[in-house]
Each structure stands twice: as structure tokens, then as C-alpha cells.
């Protein structure tokens, strides 16, 4: 929640300032800073990497004095990952803590660097260090390095600077680090978030990219928002083939990144340069390699893939009960009900309002909905109210868990009024936090935690004291107006660094509306360095606390994120607006977070504020039903917008969420795939079609997994949508007789009346579906349908798919625990025969649950069938009297705008089956005559 910047006048002035600052940032001729560094020694390190010694060439004092001696460390850590680290050669500098993001440690700083060991010298004349996939090469004077792809010689990164370049050679000062890379003009870059990108998923030249976790509404474009992800993916098309790689600068300090179209420059205000290069070469391979390093995405419980309803302003428990009753009455699926801060006593964490949410009544309510299969989640902000009668505060003071300023807990203001912020870098704080979670769970057995305002957000700026003689806040005005007595803190180099990043789009002081950056954490760590890690460190502590409760798989939703946050939590895109533009922007942000290794992501459906129109809410649920994380959430000051509030929206919700709940086994299998390989659940189309440049900036359609494409209406008043179809056959999931076939990428105008969303299944895929239901608990126990999609009319074709099932609240999502089953599905049509079969791993769990396949739907057959045979675990099924066959001819969607190919083809439904999911089956038949 963030409203201190919501007035129209503020936004107009902010917009004006941003426009002016952007012009200044992009078009001002930069002053060259120094002459770079010279490589004076390089040798092989004990771990098989390289260590080099860099010496500054010409000292200057722009942004402070140069660090004269630097250590270069290079290592091919895996076949696909190269690390290049540059730091001070003489003293240790701040790095992202290794206990937060586990990784290999670089060799200790060497006092005698430059004296090569005789037994294994790396000759200075040599300029290449080659791994399996990547090559590191360098020049010595001035020092520059490049990274090349071994297979084709393509230069992926080149830090050298010429006099004509608008950027410098390497600059390394205490509070200003600069390094750049040349880029080809036709590169397509993605990432560098979190921000709201108006141009779509592709990074746009000359837009500002500032990374510094900030509590700003997501309605603010091209501005540093809640997360810091200094990672980008680079996709290049070489001779018709797409090659992807990624670059991570592992650094938690504030930074500006300037992309000029043919170069990219980092300007960082602290820490070290710690680059990781991921070779790809496909987008999926990049995310696999990236999440292998930063941590695989967290496994999500099955119920979390259902629909969620939240609102700031559910004033008492009876309102929550009424919401649930109305969803049931409207026959709209609902799995999870949420509370914003309405359940709290005075907006204090880990408390219940004794009048509106009394403990006994809330526990009785939770017992009832848990028995039905529903779940309940509440918000939790990091600010702990300063109140001597408040047990959480008392225990926090006793355990000395808060961030300090000059030896005393730093004072800020958030929703409860005056607060202190827990220091999650302190091991004692993590223990205390887990204990508070346990205490609250005994009070109210919640099913997850929503951690908000953790950038960290502060309604005040500077060094504050609690005012004497007046109540703060007094309860009469907006809760986000600062009422403490505060004075600015700008006297230190930490609060007023020499280089001003473009914070909040206006180069705001970096302590603006957050913790003073000269405040200190555990072991003397400055907020200046650790700021963007706050939400990440809170997420880890929350995950540990939740998992300790009952040994269940935690569900956490965090607003602030950093590199690795997806290993613990889901994310939503923050305070968006109920506008058509924000609906469109949501797709890009969701897709970006999949690349960042946070696949469980979504936006507030219908917008957080102000009130959406009825038409917009119709269209938003048709998109939001296919977000990985699907939640309607509204502001306290907005009218009610639950999906049943309008009859038309309720109908669209039943249609779109009805399909989502049928696709739950597919979504859950993608959850497993994300957890094991990092693969995003929602993906740009180029993930499946990396060789098609036309898709590289497509941001109005997206894929769920590799094979299901969503093409929503994103404009007011439209009842059709222009969708781009990659080559092949696409079948409508809402009417599988409808097919689109093309040999080349082409646009097609699809009918899209108010209650319809276009969702298509691609050829060569097999997807598992179920009947659906009002709850994931009931939907997941219904019989399965296996949908097999061959290329339309193909006499020769193959398809495959998979299904993962497990006891979904186990902490780990894996095979081998006796409570999971994995199935590969295959299909082939060849020489007049169709064969469909399964290969089951660890069948016991599925067999114990009694799951069965009741129907197989085969799309794209060129002939109808005969001579049908089924084998289960190698034994022929002799009684097939209940099996029914129905066929229907595929229909072509007209209005082809280019290309197209039409031929007769059939959809075959095989019904009345009772195939155990946990047993291998083989189904085959000879094809009859062509239709």
C-alpha cells in the first residue's frame, strides 16, 4: 500500500520532473573520467581461475579519489557460467552476503599480487582464457575485457572504450563504479528491473533504468520500484537463429544503467563489480543456468494456484464471510481469502483487532474454511510499532533486533505510527521473527504471509523523534502523512553520496522515505550497502519461520525482491492503477519476473486504485485468470470490485477461471518445472520460438508453459483482437474444433466478445486437464482428460507432455519421497497408426489417490480410426464396451490476414475410459479412411 504520492498534482509535477531529468540524463555530453586501469600482472589462481592486478593510470577526484590497486578474478565456474570479479586489491569491500545468496567465494585478497608463481604462471602476453562455452579475453593498457561465445565467436560483452564512445574505461572509486559494454544495434535486451516499462518487455534505448528498492506506485513509469534485479537477457538473431545469454552484476548498491541502443553503462554507488555470464544459448537455457546459480524458484502449494480475493477495507470478519458467500452464489472459483491490515489491532503486526476480528471467532471461521479446502493469508509489514505495552515490540527490544542509528534503534513512521525496523541480517532477529510468527499462528492459524512495505518504506525522511504534546498519528488525516519531528540527515557521505542515482525518477536523496543510509545493521553493515537487500533478507527469515510451524511448504508474497527472492517467495507487481494502460503494462512485468527467477507472479486484477470500469474488469480477469499468481485486490478508498459485483464480470470470471481450474494440473506441472529448471510459468512467445525476430518485442500476448498461448483484449471498446501466430497449428482451448494453421508467422483477427478470451494450444503438445471446480481441493480430485495436439491433418506427427502430482504441502517438491508421481505422455501418428502412451515414475502416490483418465482428446488427425486397442501395464484391456468414440471436423478461423493453409482434419474424443493415472498405458488404433 502506498498513497503518500497519489494526488493528481503530485503526479503532474513528478511527470514534469521526470521528463526534464530524463533529458538531462540521456542527452548531456558526459565528461570523461580518468584513463582507466592497466593490467600489470596476471596468474592462475589455486582454484583454476585467473587473478590479475590492475593499477590506475591517471588519478582524478571526480566522484572521489580512485582506488589505486584492483584485483581481477576470473573463473569458469561451470560449463555455462563465467564469473568476472573486480574489487579493491588492498582492503575488503561490501558484497552481497554469502549466507543470503550462497555461492563460491573468490580467493582472499593477495598482498603480493603481481609476483607470479613460477610453478604455474599465466603469461601476460596471452589474452584468452577459454571454457567450454565462453571465452574471456582482455587487453592490458588500458585494461578491458570481452566475453565471447565459443561456438560462433560472437562477442557478448566488451568493456573497452574508445575516445569516441560516450562512456569511460573502467572507473573504480569508493562510491562510484562505472563499466560499460558495446552492443550490436539489433540486440534485444530484457530485464533490469523492477520498473513499469511502457514500451513492453524489450528494454528501450534512452529510458532510465535505476535499480534501488523504492516504495513508489507501479503507475510510475520507468522508475525504480520495489525490486532490484541487475540482470539482463540478450537475445540476438544470427543468420535466422536466435542466441540468448544473460549478464548479472551481483551488487546490492544503488545504480543507474544507461542503455543507448549500441552500448550499456553501469554507474554504481558502492560495492564491487561481480559479473556472472550465462551462456544459454536458448532463453530457457539461460533461465535454467541463472536459477541454478541464484536458487531455484520456490515450490508453491497446489491451492496457491487457485483464485485469490483481497481488499484493503474488509472492516470485520462478517464482511469476509459475506465475500466468500457471494463468490459461491455467483459460482466463481475462490480458494484464498486475504486480509490487508484490517485484521490488526491498531495496524500492529502479529495482532488481532479484538472487536472486528476477535480471536475465538476468527479461529472458528478458519476451522470452517480449512475444512472446506479454502485458505487465509494476512499482510505483515516490517515496521514494529513503538509501544511499551505491545509484546512484539517488548521482545524485539529485549532481543536487540532493530536497525540502529548512532547506537539507538532507528525511528521511522509507517501504518502503526512510530516504528523500528527489524534487522534481518542479524541471526538473533531471524530467531525472534520466527518466534513471533509462531505466536501469531497460535492466535490465528494463517496459511501464508504477505510481506509488504519492505523496500523498506518510511512515511518520514531523516532522523526523527516522537513529538511531545501531540498524538502521532492522530487518526484524522491520511495515515501516510509524516507526523514525527524529523530533520534531514545529509552530513555524511553515505546519506549524500557524490554521484546521485536517478532515485524516484528525480535523483531524490537515497534516504528519501526510507531508512537513513548511514544507519547500521548487524556487524556494522551500512544501510547504504544493504538497502536493496531488506525485503530479500525479510523473505528468508519469513520462509524459515513459516516452515518451522508445521513443516509445510511456505507461501510468501513479497513486494520487495532481489536476486534470489524467487527461491523463497511469490511477487505481485505492486500498486497498479485501474486503467487499460496498466492492464497492458502488467503483462511485461509478469514476464520480466519469470526471467528474474520469480515465476509465481501476478498483478492486482482490475487494478488497485481507483475504481475500474466494468468493461476493464471484464478484460482484466480474462488476463489475470492466466497470471501464475491470480488475485483481485483493491484499495481502501475504491468501490468494491469483487468479481461478482457486476453480472458481466461474473460471467467473464466463470469462463476464464473455469478454464484455469481445468488447467490446474498443467499449471502445477509448470510449478514443478519452474522449481527444477527455473522455467517461467508465464513466458514471452520467443521462449518457444527464439528464431523469429517478429516475436522479440511482442508484449500483448504470452505463453503459459511452452504450448498454451493467451491473446487477450487490452483496449477499450474492442470485441476482436489482432493476434500474432507463430508457424504451425494452434487449437482454441475453448473450442478445440477451431484451428489456426500457418507456415509463416502471421497476424489473425480473432473474435473476442466481452466474455471471451482467446487461448490456444500448440501442436506437438500433450496437456493434462481436469473437470475443474469451485476449489482446487475438489478440482484436483476429478478425472483427467489428456489432450493430444498433432499438426493439423498430418499423417506423420509426434507430441509429448508431462504431469507431476504430489502431496502439495510437503516442504520439498521432488520425486523419491513416496508421496509424488511423475508421468511422461507420448503420442505418435505414422504409417496409418496412432499410438498414445504413458511412462510413469513412482506410481504409488497416484494409485493411492485413485486418479484416473476418463477421456483422451486427439486433435489434428487426417483420418478417423478403427481397430482400437488399450494396454495397461502391458496387459490388454478386453472390455472396452463403455468406451465411446466421437469425431468432429476441425473448423478454420477465417479472416486470415496473411498466409494460411486449409485441409480437412478431425478431432477425436475417446470417452468412457477408466485408465489409472499411476499405471503405464498404451493406446493404439489403425486409421480408417480419410474424411
Amino acid at each position: 500500500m502506498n498513497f503518500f504520492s497519489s494526488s493528481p498534482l503530485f503526479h503532474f509535477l513528478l511527470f514534469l520532473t521526470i521528463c526534464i531529468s530524463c533529458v538531462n540524463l540521456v542527452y548531456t555530453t558526459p565528461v570523461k573520467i580518468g584513463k582507466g586501469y592497466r593490467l600489470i600482472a596476471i596468474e592462475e589462481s589455486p582454484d583454476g581461475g585467473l587473478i590479475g592486478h590492475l593499477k590506475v593510470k591517471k588519478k582524478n577526484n571526480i566522484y572521489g579519489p580512485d582506488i589505486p590497486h584492483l584485483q581481477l578474478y576470473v573463473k569458469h565456474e561451470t560449463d555455462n557460467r563465467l564469473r568476472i570479479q573486480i574489487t579493491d586489491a588492498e582492503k575488503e569491500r561490501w558484497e552481497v552476503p554469502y549466507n543470503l545468496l550462497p555461492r563460491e567465494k573468490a580467493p582472499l585478497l593477495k598482498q603480493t599480487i603481481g609476483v607470479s608463481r613460477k610453478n604455474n604462471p599465466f603469461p601476460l602476453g596471452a589474452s584468452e582464457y577459454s571454457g567450454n562455452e565462453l571465452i574471456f579475453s582482455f587487453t592490458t593498457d588500458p585494461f578491458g575485457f570481452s566475453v565471447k561465445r565459443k561456438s560462433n565467436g560472437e562477442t557478448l560483452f566488451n568493456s573497452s572504450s574508445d575516445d569516441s564512445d560516450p562512456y569511460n574505461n573502467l572507473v573504480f572509486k569508493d562510491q562510484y563504479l562505472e563499466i560499460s559494454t558495446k552492443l550490436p544495434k539489433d540486440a534485444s535486451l530484457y530485464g533490469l528491473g523492477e520498473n513499469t516499462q511502457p514500451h513492453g518487455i524489450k528494454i528501450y534505448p534512452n529510458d532510465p533504468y535505476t535499480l534501488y528498492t523504492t516504495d513508489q506506485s507501479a503507475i510510475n513509469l520507468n522508475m525504480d520500484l520495489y525490486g532490484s534485479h541487475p540482470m539482463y537477457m540478450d537475445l540476438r538473431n544470427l543468420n535466422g537463429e536466435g542466441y540468448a545469454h544473460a549478464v548479472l552484476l551481483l551488487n546490492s548498491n544503488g545504480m543507474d544503467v544507461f542503455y543507448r541502443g549500441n552500448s550499456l553503462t553501469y554507474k554504481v554507488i558502492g560495492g564491487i563489480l561481480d559479473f556472472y555470464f550465462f551462456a544459454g544459448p536458448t532463453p530457457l537455457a539461460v533461465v535454467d543456468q541463472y536459477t541454478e546459480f541464484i536458487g531455484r524458484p520456490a515450490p508453491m502449494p497446489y491451492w496457491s494456484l487457485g483464485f485469490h480475493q483481497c481488499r484493503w477495507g474488509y472492516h470485520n470478519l462478517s464482511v469476509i464471510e459475506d465475500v466468500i458467500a457471494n463468490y459461491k452464489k455467483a459460482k466463481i472459483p475462490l480458494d484464498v481469502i486475504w486480509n490487508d491490515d484490517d485484521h490488526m489491532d491498531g495496524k500492529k503486526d502479529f495482532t488481532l483487532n479484538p472487536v472486528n476480528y476477535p480471536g475465538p471467532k476468527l479461529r472458528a471461521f478458519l476451522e470452517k474454511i480449512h475444512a472446506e479446502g479454502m485458505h487465509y493469508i494476512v499482510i505483515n509489514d516490517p515496521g514494529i510499532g513503538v509501544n511499551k505495552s505491545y509484546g512484539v515490540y517488548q521482545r524485539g527490544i529485549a532481543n536487540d533486533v532493530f536497525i540502529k542509528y548512532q547506537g539507538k534503534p532507528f525511528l521511522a513512521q509507517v501504518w502503526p505510527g512510530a516504528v523500528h525496523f527489524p534487522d534481518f541480517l542479524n541471526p538473533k532477529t531471524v530467531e525472534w521473527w520466527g518466534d513471533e510468527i509462531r505466536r501469531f499462528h497460535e492466535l490465528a492459524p494463517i496459511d501464508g504471509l504477505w510481506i509488504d512495505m519492505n523496500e523498506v518504506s518510511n512515511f518520514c525522511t531523516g532522523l526523527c523523534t516522537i513529538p511531545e504534546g501531540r498524538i502521532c498519528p492522530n487518526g484524522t488525516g491520511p495515515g501516510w502523512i509524516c507526523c514525527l519531528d524529523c530533520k534531514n540527515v545529509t552530513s555524511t557521505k553515505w546519506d549524500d553520496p557524490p554521484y546521485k542515482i536517478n532515485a524516484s525518477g528525480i535523483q531524490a536523496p537515497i534516504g528519501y522515505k526510507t531508512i537513513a543510509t548511514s544507519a547500521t545493521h548487524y556487524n556494522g553493515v551500512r544501510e547504504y550497502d544493504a538497502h536493496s537487500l531488506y525485503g530479500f533478507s525479510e523473505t528468508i527469515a519469513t520462509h524459515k519461520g513459516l516452515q518451522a510451524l508445521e513443516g509445510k511448504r511456505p507461501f510468501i508474497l513479497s513486494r520487495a525482491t532481489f536476486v534470489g527472492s524467487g527461491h523463497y517467495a511469490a511477487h505481485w507487481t505492486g500498486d497498479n492503477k485501474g486503467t487499460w494502460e496498466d492492464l497492458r503494462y502488467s503483462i511485461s512485468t509478469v514476464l520480466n519476473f519469470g526471467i528474474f527467477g520469480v515465476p509465481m507472479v501476478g498483478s492486482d486484477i482490475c487494478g488497485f486504485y481507483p475504481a475500474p470500469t466494468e468493461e476493464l474488469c471484464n478484460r482484466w480477469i480474462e488476463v489475470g485468470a492466466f497470471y501464475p499468481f491470480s488475485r483481485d485486490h483493491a484499495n481502501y478508498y475504491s468501490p468494491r470490485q469483487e468479481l461478482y459485483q457486476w453480472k458481466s464480470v461474473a460471467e467473464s470470471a466463470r469462463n476464464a477461471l473455469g478454464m484455469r481450474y481445468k488447467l490446474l494440473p498443467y499449471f502445477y506441472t509448470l510449478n514443478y518445472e519452474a522449481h527444477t529448471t527455473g522455467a517461467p510459468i508465464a513466458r514471452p512467445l520467443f521462449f518457444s520460438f527464439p528464431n523469429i525476430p517478429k516475436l522479440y518485442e511482442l508484449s500483448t500476448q504470452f505463453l503459459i508453459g511452452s504450448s498454451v498461448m493467451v491473446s487477450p483484449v487490452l483496449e477499450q471498446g474492442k470485441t476482436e483482437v489482432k493476434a500474432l501466430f507463430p508457424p504451425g497449428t494452434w487449437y482454441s482451448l475453448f473450442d478445440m474444433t477451431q484451428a489456426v494453421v500457418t507456415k509463416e508467422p502471421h497476424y489473425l483477427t480473432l473474435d473476442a466478445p466481452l466474455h471471451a478470451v482467446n487461448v490456444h494450444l500448440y501442436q506437438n503438445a500433450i496437456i493434462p486437464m481436469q473437470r475443474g471446480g469451485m476449489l482446487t481441493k475438489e478440482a484436483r480430485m476429478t478425472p483427467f482428460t489428456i489432450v493430444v495436439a498433432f499438426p493439423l491433418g498430418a499423417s506423420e506427427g509426434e507430441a509429448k507432455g508431462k504431469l507431476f502430482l504430489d502431496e502439495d504441502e510437503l516442504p520439498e517438491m521432488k520425486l523419491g519421497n513416496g508421496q509424488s508421481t511423475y508421468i511422461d505422455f507420448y503420442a505418435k501418428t505414422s504409417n496409418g497408426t496412432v499410438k498414445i502412451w504413458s511412462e510413469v515414475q513412482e506410481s504409488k502416490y497416484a494409485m493411492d489417490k485413485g486418479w484416473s483418465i476418463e477421456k483422451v482428446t486427439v486433435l489434428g488427425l487426417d483420418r478417423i480410426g478403427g481397430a482400437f486397442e488399450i494396454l495397461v501395464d502391458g496387459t490388454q484391456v478386453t472390455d472396452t464396451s463403455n468406451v465411446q468414440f466421437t469425431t468432429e471436423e476441425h473448423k478454420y478461423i477465417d479472416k486470415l490476414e496473411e498466409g494460411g493453409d486449409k485441409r480437412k482434419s478431425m478431432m477425436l474424443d475417446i470417452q468412457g475410459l477408466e485408465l489409472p493415472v499411476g499405471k503405464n498405458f498404451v493406446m493404439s488404433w489403425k486409421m480408417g479412411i480419410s474424411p
Side-chain angles (χ1 to χ4, degrees):
M1 302 176 293
N2 169 19
F3 297 99
F4 53 76
S5 59
S6 59
S7 73
L9 178 61
F10 175 88
H11 286 301
F12 173 74
L13 293 173
L14 186 61
F15 173 76
L16 200 61
T17 311
I18 290 169
C19 290
I20 294 167
S21 65
C22 287
V23 170
N24 290 338
L25 284 166
V26 173
Y27 297 110
T28 303
T29 303
V31 176
K32 290 282 187 177
I33 302 176
K35 299 290 185 180
Y37 284 77
R38 184 172 75 252
L39 179 68
I40 61 173
I42 192 164
E43 62 185 39
E44 188 174 337
S45 62
D47 61 358
L50 297 179
I51 290 184
H53 182 186
L54 305 175
K55 186 175 182 180
V56 70
K57 291 187 66 178
K58 184 178 180 181
K59 293 182 180 180
N60 68 83
N61 287 306
I62 301 173
Y63 301 134
D66 298 280
I67 293 178
H69 298 279
L70 301 178
Q71 175 176 286
L72 167 70
Y73 172 65
V74 186
K75 187 182 179 188
H76 294 281
E77 293 190 335
T78 70
D79 287 349
N80 303 296
R81 183 173 79 233
L82 170 66
R83 182 183 190 181
I84 300 174
Q85 185 193 83
I86 301 174
T87 187
D88 190 329
E90 297 176 333
K91 65 178 182 179
E92 195 172 347
R93 287 180 62 82
W94 166 256
E95 297 180 55
V96 174
Y98 284 79
N99 64 323
L100 292 187
L101 192 70
R103 59 200 189 276
E104 289 184 34
K105 290 195 174 185
L108 295 175
L109 300 173
K110 295 184 62 173
Q111 299 301 318
T112 58
I113 189 164
V115 181
S116 294
R117 299 186 312 280
K118 294 179 180 180
N119 60 338
N120 209 353
F122 186 92
L124 198 58
S127 61
E128 285 195 352
Y129 169 52
S130 182
N132 278 17
E133 300 291 339
L134 298 173
I135 300 171
F136 168 80
S137 59
F138 58 88
T139 55
T140 58
D141 190 8
F143 170 74
F145 70 85
S146 66
V147 178
K148 296 179 182 178
R149 189 183 298 282
K150 194 171 186 178
S151 61
N152 59 13
E154 178 83 355
T155 298
L156 309 183
F157 196 96
N158 179 2
S159 74
S160 298
S161 170
D162 302 323
D163 290 340
S164 60
D165 290 324
Y167 49 84
N168 298 288
N169 276 297
L170 173 65
V171 180
F172 205 116
K173 300 164 185 285
D174 186 33
Q175 290 183 270
Y176 182 79
L177 285 61
E178 182 182 331
I179 194 168
S180 301
T181 178
K182 294 177 172 65
L183 290 170
K185 286 184 179 179
D186 59 349
S188 297
L189 306 185
Y190 312 89
L192 295 179
E194 178 179 13
N195 54 47
T196 300
Q197 297 174 200
H199 304 291
I201 53 175
K202 198 171 164 182
I203 292 174
Y204 203 76
N206 298 326
D207 274 354
Y209 295 91
T210 298
L211 281 69
Y212 190 73
T213 60
T214 305
D215 178 6
Q216 287 281 6
S217 283
I219 64 173
N220 297 301
L221 306 180
N222 293 324
M223 191 180 295
D224 45 316
L225 294 179
Y226 317 107
S228 176
H229 295 270
M231 172 268 197
Y232 69 86
M233 178 189 289
D234 183 337
L235 178 59
R236 305 179 187 181
N237 195 279
L238 304 174
N239 302 316
E241 190 168 352
Y243 289 87
H245 68 275
V247 180
L248 166 67
L249 172 56
L250 187 57
N251 182 299
S252 62
N253 291 82
M255 68 180 79
D256 289 328
V257 185
F258 295 88
Y259 174 51
R260 298 179 179 85
N262 58 3
S263 68
L264 187 142
T265 298
Y266 298 89
K267 298 186 177 185
V268 193
I269 61 172
I272 67 173
L273 297 176
D274 204 358
F275 282 103
Y276 291 83
F277 296 86
F278 304 89
T282 66
L284 268 180
V286 163
V287 180
D288 184 4
Q289 294 153 16
Y290 182 62
T291 57
E292 180 186 29
F293 172 64
I294 67 167
R296 297 297 194 191
M300 294 292 157
Y302 202 96
W303 55 262
S304 69
L305 292 167
F307 183 68
H308 304 243
Q309 177 61 52
C310 183
R311 174 182 174 78
W312 183 23
Y314 286 149
H315 299 296
N316 56 50
L317 189 55
S318 64
V319 178
I320 292 264
E321 292 173 319
D322 183 65
V323 169
I324 294 172
N326 278 303
Y327 266 96
K328 288 179 180 177
K329 184 178 178 182
K331 293 183 168 53
I332 301 171
L334 178 65
D335 259 86
V336 191
I337 192 76
W338 294 58
N339 262 130
D340 211 310
D341 64 10
D342 305 290
H343 68 287
M344 296 180 180
D345 181 14
K347 305 183 186 300
K348 298 191 296 293
D349 282 347
F350 304 119
T351 64
L352 293 177
N353 185 303
V355 175
N356 297 327
Y357 286 86
K361 284 189 176 180
L362 180 60
R363 286 189 292 276
F365 163 76
L366 293 180
E367 188 175 345
K368 177 186 174 186
I369 68 167
H370 285 157
E372 293 174 358
M374 288 192 67
H375 292 80
Y376 175 67
I377 295 173
V378 297
I379 200 168
N380 208 56
D381 296 337
I384 301 299
V386 176
N387 184 326
K388 291 182 180 178
S389 64
Y390 173 34
V392 179
Y393 170 77
Q394 293 170 344
R395 291 184 290 272
I397 290 292
N399 284 282
D400 192 23
V401 302
F402 297 117
I403 293 171
K404 292 195 171 66
Y405 190 91
Q406 295 180 348
K408 297 179 180 178
F410 179 80
L411 189 71
Q413 180 189 327
V414 203
W415 301 114
V419 299
H420 297 321
F421 291 120
D423 175 12
F424 293 104
L425 298 184
N426 186 340
K428 280 172 53 178
T429 307
V430 175
E431 291 179 18
W432 162 82
W433 188 252
D435 184 59
E436 296 302 337
I437 290 173
R438 178 192 60 78
R439 289 169 182 268
F440 183 66
H441 191 265
E442 290 174 357
L443 193 64
I446 54 169
D447 299 295
L449 276 175
W450 171 18
I451 51 177
D452 191 17
M453 308 290 285
N454 52 349
E455 292 73 30
V456 63
S457 177
N458 179 3
F459 297 157
C460 300
T461 299
L463 188 60
C464 304
T465 57
I466 297 174
E468 295 184 12
R470 73 175 192 271
I471 299 172
C472 169
N474 60 20
T476 59
W480 55 87
I481 302 300
C482 179
C483 59
L484 300 177
D485 289 335
C486 303
K487 62 180 180 180
N488 286 336
V489 185
T490 56
S491 58
T492 76
K493 66 177 185 176
W494 312 115
D495 297 293
D496 187 24
Y499 175 79
K500 312 295 187 256
I501 61 170
N502 193 31
S504 300
I506 54 172
Q507 296 185 336
I510 56 174
Y512 176 71
K513 300 285 189 181
T514 188
I515 298 170
T517 44
S518 52
T520 53
H521 294 253
Y522 180 68
N523 274 350
V525 170
R526 293 186 192 87
E527 171 69 8
Y528 181 87
D529 294 312
H531 171 83
S532 288
L533 294 172
Y534 192 88
F536 182 39
S537 61
E538 184 197 13
T539 300
I540 295 171
T542 304
H543 188 276
K544 185 176 181 180
L546 283 175
Q547 195 165 73
L549 291 177
E550 298 170 327
K552 289 184 177 181
R553 189 177 300 176
F555 180 84
I556 302 166
L557 185 72
S558 178
R559 190 169 74 176
T561 59
F562 186 71
V563 175
S565 284
H567 188 57
Y568 304 95
H571 174 65
W572 92 108
T573 65
D575 295 347
N576 58 358
K577 210 169 184 178
T579 66
W580 292 94
E581 290 79 12
D582 281 69
L583 169 59
R584 191 171 67 251
Y585 302 152
S586 76
I587 295 175
S588 297
T589 310
V590 166
L591 297 181
N592 260 333
F593 268 86
I595 294 171
F596 294 149
V598 190
M600 189 64 166
V601 59
S603 287
D604 286 346
I605 292 169
C606 299
F608 183 54
Y609 69 99
T613 64
E614 182 176 349
E615 181 191 2
L616 175 62
C617 209
N618 270 278
R619 293 309 191 186
W620 210 316
I621 186 55
E622 290 169 1
V623 179
F626 299 95
Y627 292 150
F629 171 62
S630 184
R631 184 184 72 161
D632 180 303
H633 180 218
N635 172 17
Y636 187 94
Y637 300 98
S638 297
R640 298 285 288 271
Q641 65 181 45
E642 292 86 3
L643 302 179
Y644 56 76
Q645 297 289 346
W646 303 270
K647 286 186 178 179
S648 68
V649 176
E651 184 176 344
S652 294
R654 284 190 291 270
N655 288 344
L657 288 172
M659 179 56 73
R660 180 189 181 92
Y661 274 60
K662 290 176 182 175
L663 287 170
L664 281 171
Y666 180 67
F667 270 95
Y668 193 67
T669 303
L670 291 172
N671 176 28
Y672 174 70
E673 186 181 339
H675 178 56
T676 52
T677 70
I681 297 173
R683 312 172 189 179
L685 268 67
F686 66 72
F687 264 67
S688 287
F689 304 95
N691 297 339
I692 304 176
K694 196 181 265 192
L695 303 177
Y696 288 5
E697 54 188 312
L698 183 64
S699 306
T700 53
Q701 297 166 248
F702 59 96
L703 291 172
I704 299 297
S706 61
S707 305
V708 174
M709 181 172 72
V710 183
S711 305
V713 172
L714 302 173
E715 297 177 74
Q716 185 175 2
K718 299 290 186 182
T719 56
E720 56 184 28
V721 62
K722 188 176 180 182
L724 180 55
F725 283 84
T729 305
W730 297 87
Y731 300 95
S732 169
L733 270 184
F734 284 92
D735 178 0
M736 295 184 197
T737 64
Q738 292 193 4
V740 174
V741 186
T742 177
K743 292 179 180 176
E744 299 293 333
H746 78 84
Y747 279 97
L748 175 64
T749 300
L750 304 170
D751 288 331
L754 187 62
H755 306 303
V757 57
N758 283 280
V759 183
H760 288 84
L761 173 64
Y762 191 53
Q763 66 183 36
N764 306 327
I766 301 176
I767 61 169
M769 298 177 69
Q770 287 173 288
R771 292 180 183 176
M774 294 298 102
L775 283 163
T776 57
K777 181 182 178 180
E778 69 178 55
R780 75 176 305 203
M781 295 312 296
T782 60
F784 283 82
T785 293
I786 304 303
V787 181
V788 179
F790 287 123
L792 196 88
S795 56
E796 304 279 330
E798 294 184 353
K800 60 183 178 180
K802 52 199 168 189
L803 172 63
F804 179 82
L805 303 160
D806 74 346
E807 199 60 47
D808 72 302
E809 291 194 324
L810 292 172
E812 294 186 77
M813 191 181 203
K814 63 179 184 180
L815 291 170
N817 55 16
Q819 297 185 73
S820 55
T821 296
Y822 182 88
I823 303 107
D824 283 302
F825 295 107
Y826 301 94
K828 186 175 184 179
T829 176
S830 177
N831 299 321
T833 299
V834 177
K835 180 182 176 183
I836 301 168
W837 70 101
S838 69
E839 294 179 359
V840 181
Q841 297 181 50
E842 302 188 24
S843 64
K844 184 180 183 300
Y845 177 70
M847 293 301 297
D848 289 346
K849 289 290 184 182
W851 280 305
S852 65
I853 299 167
E854 66 175 351
K855 184 168 78 167
V856 173
T857 298
V858 188
L859 309 176
L861 295 176
D862 68 338
R863 285 175 285 177
I864 54 179
F868 184 74
E869 180 182 74
I870 303 177
L871 283 79
V872 175
D873 274 355
T875 302
Q876 185 168 350
V877 177
T878 55
D879 182 6
T880 57
S881 57
N882 291 327
V883 179
Q884 298 175 341
F885 302 85
T886 57
T887 59
E888 194 169 350
E889 192 172 321
H890 284 296
K891 300 184 289 285
Y892 293 88
I893 301 171
D894 293 322
K895 303 182 186 176
L896 284 180
E897 295 177 5
E898 54 179 275
D901 182 13
K902 296 190 177 183
R903 61 197 128 161
K904 282 195 172 183
S905 184
M906 304 297 292
M907 178 181 84
L908 172 65
D909 272 339
I910 307 171
Q911 303 180 65
L913 299 168
E914 295 180 0
L915 300 175
V917 170
K919 291 187 176 182
N920 295 327
F921 73 82
V922 179
M923 181 184 300
S924 63
W925 63 92
K926 294 286 186 182
M927 300 303 293
I929 54 174
S930 299

